[in-house]
Amino acid sequence: RVEVDDLGAGGDDNLPRGAVADLAITVVASGAQLDVSPPQVDFGEVAIGTSAPPQVVLVRNAGNVAASGVVAEWDGGSSRFRFTSTCGATLAPGASCALSVQFQPDATIGGDSLLRVRSDGGNGPLVVRVSGAGVLPQGWLFGSSFEGDSVR
């Protein structure tokens, strides 16, 4: 509620001093608002020397202003996971771009890596947790090699 004190120039002369009036205020957020979907990618177990099918993470600007300086990068680097991006330096309001995440293990290791997405004027950074484990190919034995159907 607002109490009328001094209407000044252009005020409503129908409201006397001391009157109480309802005042509606609308607040509109302005700016870039990035979101990612899905927030987590899990490749599961993948045989060493093979590649898992790529998984796509969408980056969307749900704000009403273009997001500039859009960057995706690994937190601390990643040797197990890689990504390609269709995201340019600027993402228009309502627009989306894609990060294609790949996993090709070269050792029997597992764990998570974090892919961070940020921009100069938006929220963030946003984090996508990427996980996967390298496993030995089926039928592989330590110190063994295959030739045809026989194991040496």
Side-chain angles (χ1 to χ4, degrees):
R1 292 199 161 270
V2 174
E3 185 175 332
V4 178
D5 184 31
D6 185 7
L7 296 175
D12 186 345
D13 293 330
N14 293 327
L15 292 175
R17 182 178 294 278
V20 176
D22 289 325
L23 177 65
I25 299 174
T26 302
V27 177
V28 178
S30 178
Q33 183 70 31
L34 297 182
D35 60 47
V36 292
S37 179
Q40 183 170 327
V41 173
D42 184 1
F43 287 98
E45 294 183 340
V46 177
I48 295 170
T50 65
S51 296
Q55 294 194 35
V56 175
V57 174
L58 289 179
V59 179
R60 184 175 68 101
N61 181 1
N64 57 3
V65 174
S68 61
V70 177
V71 175
E73 59 195 359
W74 294 110
D75 185 12
S78 174
S79 60
R80 299 170 299 191
F81 304 103
R82 292 183 174 34
F83 74 92
T84 57
S85 173
T86 64
C87 300
T90 302
L91 191 58
S96 296
C97 60
L99 304 174
S100 179
V101 184
Q102 299 131 3
F103 179 45
Q104 183 176 3
D106 58 4
T108 56
I109 54 173
D112 297 348
S113 287
L114 300 178
L115 181 58
R116 295 191 186 277
V117 179
R118 61 181 168 80
S119 73
D120 291 340
N123 56 317
L126 303 172
V127 176
V128 178
R129 182 174 300 282
V130 181
S131 59
V135 295
L136 295 174
Q138 189 172 8
W140 194 88
L141 303 171
F142 282 106
S144 301
S145 63
F146 291 93
E147 186 174 311
D149 291 329
S150 62
V151 178
R152 296 181 183 193

